[in-house]
């Protein structure tokens, strides 16, 4: 934002806080105050909701990602800079130690073995930073593409889709706190003892519990083994 827009935003925020504090204890805001607060909120959103404006120097070294979105329209994402195009950070000159400065002025600097210094420096292996982490934004996009591809592949194979849904349902019913499935299928087992006292002691409730117990005994103990059984 320009300096004028920044000043406008700060003035609107100050007015908003002043109005809120003045009517903090009121059960209901006066109509004119409520309208003014709404106008301020709209003005602040308009100041904040705007396209990103890049610095001309950044535009000169930056690039864009061009792709096709799911509807077939062109998608352009701006503001990306390759690591090799980042401007070099200027290195500051090392400042001499105070004691060394005093020795230089006094003419008592001792000779330092340069060969020894170089050998010490050479003995230090270069640190290996390892592979760079994938940026969060790129990881989010890759995950979305993967999820969409899995969804399409699953829909084209009804047998696999049936088994995947059955697997997710069994995990929900017979195992607790497990993340062995990538499907978000929700199933609930509701008890009715509180709504109808004595219902859990009926023959129907006992039959349901017995059936659940028998199935539980036939399933593997660990949730991770369920997909292989």
């Amino acid at each position: 934002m320009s300096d004028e827009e920044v000043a406008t935003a700060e003035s609107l925020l100050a007015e908003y806080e002043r109005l809120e504090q003045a009517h903090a204890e009121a059960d209901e805001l006066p109509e004119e105050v409520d309208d003014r607060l709404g106008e301020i909120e709209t003005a602040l959103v308009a100041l904040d909701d705007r396209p990103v404006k890049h610095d001309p120097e950044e535009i000169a070294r930056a690039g864009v990602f061009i792709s096709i979105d799911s509807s077939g329209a062109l998608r352009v994402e701006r503001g990306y800079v390759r690591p090799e195009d980042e401007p070099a950070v200027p290195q500051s000159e090392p400042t001499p130690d105070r004691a060394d400065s005093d020795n230089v002025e006094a003419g008592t600097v001792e000779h330092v073995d340069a060969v020894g210094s170089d050998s010490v420096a050479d003995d230090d292996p270069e640190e290996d930073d390892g592979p760079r982490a994938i940026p969060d934004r790129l990881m989010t996009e890759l995950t979305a593409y993967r999820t969409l591809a899995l969804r399409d592949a699953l829909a084209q194979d009804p047998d696999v889709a049936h088994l995947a849904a059955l697997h997710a349902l069994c995990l929900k019913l017979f195992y607790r706190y497990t993340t062995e499935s990538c499907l978000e299928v929700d199933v609930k087992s509701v008890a009715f003892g509180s709504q109808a006292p004595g219902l859990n002691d009926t023959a129907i409730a006992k039959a349901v519990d017995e059936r659940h117990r028998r199935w539980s005994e036939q399933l593997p103990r660990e949730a991770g083994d369920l997909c292989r059984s």
Side-chain angles (χ1 to χ4, degrees):
M1 292 188 291
S2 65
D3 294 340
E4 182 180 354
E5 290 170 333
V6 171
T8 300
E10 292 176 349
S11 176
L12 290 172
L13 282 173
E15 182 183 356
Y16 191 94
E17 293 175 355
R18 185 170 62 254
L19 290 173
E20 274 196 330
Q21 293 175 0
H23 300 84
E25 298 181 358
D27 295 334
E28 185 176 354
L29 291 175
E31 184 177 355
E32 62 275 9
V33 175
D34 190 28
D35 292 342
R36 180 53 184 163
L37 290 177
E39 293 174 357
I40 294 175
E41 290 177 352
T42 302
L44 289 174
V45 169
L47 286 171
D48 186 62
D49 186 13
R50 61 177 66 203
V52 176
K53 184 178 180 181
H54 297 280
D55 187 271
E57 295 182 0
E58 295 177 348
I59 295 176
R61 62 172 179 271
V64 299
F65 280 109
I66 301 177
S67 59
I68 305 297
D69 63 16
S70 58
S71 62
L74 182 68
R75 181 172 68 178
V76 180
E77 297 177 89
R78 307 178 186 275
Y80 289 90
V81 179
R82 293 179 296 187
E84 58 268 26
D85 294 335
E86 289 283 0
V89 179
Q91 299 291 334
S92 58
E93 293 293 334
T95 56
D97 186 73
R98 178 62 183 172
D100 294 340
S101 301
D102 294 340
N103 290 335
V104 170
E105 294 175 359
T108 59
V109 178
E110 296 182 358
H111 176 68
V112 179
D113 187 1
V115 176
S117 301
D118 292 340
S119 62
V120 172
D122 293 339
D123 289 341
D124 294 334
E126 294 184 0
E127 295 183 359
D128 185 10
D129 295 336
R132 294 186 177 182
I134 299 178
D136 292 342
R137 181 173 180 178
L138 178 58
M139 178 62 75
T140 300
E141 293 183 1
L142 292 176
T143 302
Y145 276 107
R146 182 189 64 179
T147 302
L148 187 62
L150 288 173
R151 183 182 300 174
D152 181 59
L154 192 64
Q156 296 182 34
D157 195 331
D159 292 336
V160 174
H162 172 76
L163 292 175
L166 180 61
H167 175 244
L169 292 174
C170 288
L171 287 174
K172 288 280 189 177
L173 283 174
F174 297 97
Y175 301 89
R176 292 177 179 271
Y177 313 113
T178 178
T179 57
E180 297 294 337
S181 176
C182 63
L183 295 184
E184 293 185 3
V185 180
D186 193 19
V187 58
K188 297 180 180 180
S189 179
V190 181
F192 298 100
S194 59
Q195 290 85 351
L199 181 61
N200 290 334
D201 296 329
T202 62
I204 298 176
K206 291 180 178 179
V208 171
D209 291 341
E210 178 63 21
R211 188 183 305 111
H212 188 280
R213 184 189 63 79
R214 290 198 305 268
W215 274 109
S216 180
E217 291 176 350
Q218 297 179 52
L219 297 177
R221 182 176 298 274
E222 298 297 331
D225 298 332
L226 182 62
C227 61
R228 295 185 288 271
S229 61

